[in-house]
Amino acid sequence: MPAPGLVMGGVLGLQCGAALATRLYPAVGPAGVVTLRLCLAAVILTVLWRPGLRGDRLTLGIAATAGTLLAVHHLSFYEAVDRVPLGAATTMEFLGPFALALFGSRRAADLLWACLAAAGVVLLSHSGLPLDAMGLGFATLAGCCWGGYILVGARLAARVPDGRGLALAVTWGALLSLPYGIARAGARLLDPGTLAPAVVVAVLSSVLPYTCHLEALRRLPPRVFGVLTSLEPAVGALVGLLLLGQHLAAQQWAGVLAVALAAVGAVRTAGAGSEAIGEDRSEA
């Protein structure tokens, strides 16, 4: 499969998995969904990569930090999806990586993209259909955790060049979520009618996107990868509409598109700036 297809496949897997997970809410709730997703994904990734515990303490600590961020991110995101449409939750969540991309930048163009993203958030949350404030808060927390995971995950990838680091992180996140999931859902977690769709959610939301994105990053420049993943808010809104029947008002659709365009513009501007710097250095 071409690299752009791998990226979009991962994006679709994340959003379709989140949409399918909502059907498990009546049985186990968001906490139970997160526990099942992480535990099943940990089993699959452990079988695939067979990670050991013989690494140095720093590597294990980084993996534990990444797993903690993943667990909090998943729980926050699914709590958000339980309260607001998938497109709105995905848009708010994406602000975390977007802010990370803009952090420390002094370019005037980046300020323009930040203003466009802010306008998108205003359109999304203050017009059209009312959105639950707590749901938006959970989505924002998920965005903060996702931004932190990008930073920690980069360190983990540098120290462990294959999937063993990811398997360790997901396993630690599963262990953290397990007590909370058991307390909220109890024996319902082991119901065969719940486990079967939970396996699909784990594959779609964790195993498939992580594997696709890892392979795509080996073939694509980071700028191109960033442009493709910047379409995630719009994909989330479309999946929510088609699979869940979640409608957004026209102003809220404009907000989703504004955030997506701001992310694409920020990534392309950053890429152009880096290419210019590279040309200047080569001429020097």
Side-chain angles (χ1 to χ4, degrees):
M1 181 181 296
L6 289 172
V7 177
M8 295 311 299
V11 170
L12 283 172
L14 282 169
Q15 299 307 314
C16 290
L20 179 61
T22 61
R23 305 183 186 278
L24 297 175
Y25 286 177
V28 296
V33 171
V34 170
T35 299
L36 287 173
R37 170 185 170 178
L38 285 175
C39 288
L40 293 171
V43 171
I44 296 171
L45 289 171
T46 298
V47 171
L48 288 175
W49 293 104
R50 299 180 183 180
L53 297 176
R54 299 179 181 178
D56 60 276
R57 292 183 178 180
L58 179 58
T59 300
L60 294 177
I62 295 173
T65 302
T68 301
L69 289 169
L70 278 178
V72 178
H73 166 269
H74 291 355
L75 183 59
S76 301
F77 183 72
Y78 281 119
E79 289 285 357
V81 172
D82 192 33
R83 292 169 171 82
V84 299
L86 179 60
T90 304
T91 301
M92 298 299 293
E93 176 212 23
F94 194 76
L95 291 179
F98 179 66
L100 186 64
L102 292 179
F103 181 75
S105 175
R106 297 178 175 84
R107 298 169 59 91
D110 291 334
L111 179 61
L112 174 63
W113 301 129
C115 291
L116 179 59
V121 173
V122 172
L123 286 171
L124 183 68
S125 57
H126 291 88
S127 60
L129 301 175
L131 297 178
D132 183 81
M134 184 173 292
L136 294 178
F138 274 121
T140 303
L141 176 59
C144 294
C145 291
W146 194 242
Y149 173 77
I150 291 174
L151 293 175
V152 178
R155 293 191 62 190
L156 183 63
R159 299 186 68 87
V160 186
D162 55 27
R164 289 175 297 165
L166 175 62
L168 286 174
V170 173
T171 300
W172 177 252
L175 292 175
L176 287 180
S177 68
L178 192 58
Y180 186 55
I182 292 175
R184 297 299 298 270
R188 290 172 293 171
L189 294 172
L190 300 178
D191 184 87
T194 301
L195 282 175
V199 172
V200 179
V201 170
V203 173
L204 284 176
S205 299
S206 297
V207 179
L208 174 65
Y210 295 152
T211 303
C212 286
H213 287 173
L214 180 64
E215 182 62 28
L217 280 170
R218 292 177 180 149
R219 309 185 198 176
L220 288 175
R223 178 176 64 85
V224 178
F225 182 85
V227 170
L228 292 172
T229 55
S230 297
L231 300 176
E232 188 167 344
V235 173
L238 287 173
V239 169
L241 175 64
L242 297 176
L243 298 186
L244 301 176
Q246 295 175 337
H247 295 275
L248 296 177
Q251 299 93 327
Q252 292 170 324
W253 275 105
V256 171
L257 293 177
V259 173
L261 288 174
V264 172
V267 173
R268 290 184 64 86
T269 302
S274 62
E275 289 170 2
I277 292 173
E279 291 173 0
D280 290 343
R281 287 179 178 174
S282 62
E283 289 175 359

